[in-house]
Amino acid sequence: KFNTPNEILQNLASNKVFDDQWAVQFLATFLRDIKIFLVSTGISDEVAAKLKIRLFKKAEEAVREAIAVSNDDYRIALIQNPDVLIVNLS
C-alpha cells in the first residue's frame, strides 16, 4: 500500500492507533534509516519484497552484499534468532 517508509510513518501518525502498531513503526523507522538484509529460509521472496527487505539464503552472501553497498565507514550487526530487538549502533 505504501511506497516509502516515510509514507507508512505519516499514515500511522495521522490515524487511529491499532494493536501491535509498534512493530510496523519500528520496521518503517529501520527501513528509513538503515539497510535491512535478512538471512532466512522461513520467509518467501514475495513477503520480503512487500516488507522492503533484502532476503538472502546464506549469511556469507548477505555480509558480502552489505559490504559492497556500504561506504568506508560501515557497521554491520549480525543478530541470530532475534525475538524483539532494537540495536543502536551510534
Side-chain angles (χ1 to χ4, degrees):
K1 181 175 177 180
F2 303 100
N3 293 315
T4 68
N6 281 333
E7 287 180 18
I8 296 168
L9 294 170
Q10 288 170 355
N11 182 273
L12 292 173
S14 62
N15 287 297
K16 183 179 168 189
V17 174
F18 62 90
D19 290 341
D20 294 329
Q21 177 176 324
W22 63 269
V24 176
Q25 283 180 267
F26 280 139
L27 179 59
T29 301
F30 294 155
L31 289 170
R32 181 191 65 196
D33 298 340
I34 63 174
K35 294 176 181 75
I36 299 176
F37 293 179
L38 174 66
V39 179
S40 178
T41 56
I43 185 173
S44 69
D45 292 334
E46 293 79 19
V47 170
K50 285 180 183 179
L51 293 173
K52 310 266 193 258
I53 59 176
R54 297 279 313 271
L55 180 63
F56 295 86
K57 301 299 182 209
K58 295 184 178 185
E60 296 84 4
E61 296 169 358
V63 171
R64 200 172 308 121
E65 179 67 11
I67 292 169
V69 300
S70 298
N71 58 30
D72 291 336
D73 187 25
Y74 65 85
R75 295 180 185 164
I76 298 174
L78 302 176
I79 305 160
Q80 184 178 2
N81 300 322
D83 182 24
V84 174
L85 182 67
I86 302 169
V87 178
N88 181 349
L89 296 176
S90 58

